[in-house]
Amino acid sequence: MHAALTLLLLLLGGTLVPVNRQFRPTPDGIAVFVVSNGVHTDLVLPLREDRTGTDWLSQLQQPALAARFGGYQYVGFGWGSERFYLESYGGKLPGATTMLRALAPGRTLMHVDFYRQPPRPGRHVAALRISPAQYQRLAAQVALYFAPDSSGPTVLRNAAGYTPDDFFFRGRGRYHALRTCNDWTNGTLRRAGLRAALKAPLAGSVLYQVRRATREPAEAQP
């Protein structure tokens, strides 16, 4: 019991320790967002970004999606447990058995959600403006977690997600108690050189450090 409590305190304490503390937003940079539903976090990026030549519909190589969502502006990416995602359809909360099984290493999916307009910053949405170089690193990190097969760089797991605008793709990596959806979001920000938490077990952990990045005194970018 004491060991579990100590581990929990260490995990939560990691929320307060910043990584890439020197990061500062780029005033005229590319707008990206961290979006939470209170439990899970997604990264929301421009569907097309002219300065870096990034086009997510092209990268996904899914012609039906390209035809359907070509007029949208943003796309969200989340990573998580296949078991948990697939038992969450219809707004259901997965049962205790699924939650416990998700604590053990298991397969993952990438959740892709198309947005007609950028998210509106608020309680569950934090916005950052980043440089083109930072955006390229961020996009490259996201792309790494799609599991390819012989037919292309992405594999649709299901023909539909929770809504008409979201989908699940086969993901790379294993989900477990110490490697969660929020850790993925946090780690992706960190590896792109953006401010992040040392450890982010909760959605609030990710949002806290992203918001701190916008409040630090401005200084020259490296």
Side-chain angles (χ1 to χ4, degrees), residues 47-48 53-63 65-66 114 153-154:
L47 188 59
R48 298 181 186 83
T54 306
D55 183 333
W56 284 107
L57 286 174
S58 177
Q59 289 195 44
L60 291 173
Q61 291 191 18
Q62 300 289 332
L65 299 186
F114 293 94
T154 65

Side-chain angles (χ1 to χ4, degrees), residues 96-183:
T97 301
T98 296
M99 292 185 181
L100 288 172
R101 289 177 65 196
L103 298 178
R107 290 188 299 187
T108 59
L109 298 176
M110 287 294 288
H111 184 220
V112 177
D113 195 358
F114 293 94
Y115 288 69
R116 290 185 182 275
Q117 297 177 332
R120 181 177 298 177
R123 180 182 175 191
H124 293 303
V125 178
L128 279 179
R129 286 196 174 270
I130 62 177
S131 72
Q134 290 164 340
Y135 182 79
Q136 287 179 311
R137 291 196 295 268
L138 185 64
Q141 285 296 317
V142 171
L144 280 176
Y145 281 85
F146 284 89
D149 71 0
S150 58
S151 65
T154 65
V155 184
L156 265 175
R157 170 62 173 79
N158 283 23
Y162 301 139
T163 75
D165 294 340
D166 72 293
F167 303 85
F168 288 108
F169 290 76
R170 292 288 187 190
R172 291 182 190 262
R174 307 289 280 179
Y175 183 101
H176 53 80
L178 298 178
R179 176 65 168 148
T180 68
C181 54
N182 297 313
D183 278 312

Side-chain angles (χ1 to χ4, degrees), residues 11-220:
L11 291 175
L12 293 176
T15 297
L16 304 176
V17 180
V19 180
N20 300 327
R21 189 170 186 169
Q22 78 286 354
F23 167 81
R24 298 294 183 273
T26 301
D28 61 346
I30 299 162
V32 301
F33 303 84
V34 176
V35 176
S36 167
N37 65 2
V39 176
H40 170 88
T41 49
D42 286 345
L43 291 169
V44 179
L45 312 179
L47 188 59
R48 298 181 186 83
E49 206 300 299
D50 293 339
R51 280 178 279 185
T52 60
T54 306
D55 183 333
W56 284 107
L57 286 174
S58 177
Q59 289 195 44
L60 291 173
Q61 291 191 18
Q62 300 289 332
L65 299 186
R68 195 167 152 193
F69 296 107
Y72 283 50
Q73 295 186 31
Y74 276 78
V75 58
F77 299 99
W79 176 94
S81 164
E82 180 179 66
R83 293 187 190 112
F84 193 93
Y85 273 140
L86 296 184
E87 292 195 25
S88 300
Y89 274 74
K92 296 184 301 182
L93 183 67
T97 301
T98 296
M99 292 185 181
L100 288 172
R101 289 177 65 196
L103 298 178
R107 290 188 299 187
T108 59
L109 298 176
M110 287 294 288
H111 184 220
V112 177
D113 195 358
F114 293 94
Y115 288 69
R116 290 185 182 275
Q117 297 177 332
R120 181 177 298 177
R123 180 182 175 191
H124 293 303
V125 178
L128 279 179
R129 286 196 174 270
I130 62 177
S131 72
Q134 290 164 340
Y135 182 79
Q136 287 179 311
R137 291 196 295 268
L138 185 64
Q141 285 296 317
V142 171
L144 280 176
Y145 281 85
F146 284 89
D149 71 0
S150 58
S151 65
T154 65
V155 184
L156 265 175
R157 170 62 173 79
N158 283 23
Y162 301 139
T163 75
D165 294 340
D166 72 293
F167 303 85
F168 288 108
F169 290 76
R170 292 288 187 190
R172 291 182 190 262
R174 307 289 280 179
Y175 183 101
H176 53 80
L178 298 178
R179 176 65 168 148
T180 68
C181 54
N182 297 313
D183 278 312
W184 177 83
T185 305
N186 187 70
T188 302
L189 293 168
R190 183 181 68 245
R191 289 186 292 273
L194 311 184
R195 181 160 175 152
L198 179 65
K199 190 66 176 173
L202 305 175
S205 306
V206 186
L207 291 169
Y208 174 78
Q209 289 297 343
V210 170
R211 290 191 169 117
R212 285 298 301 269
T214 65
R215 296 170 185 163
E216 295 287 344
E219 62 182 37

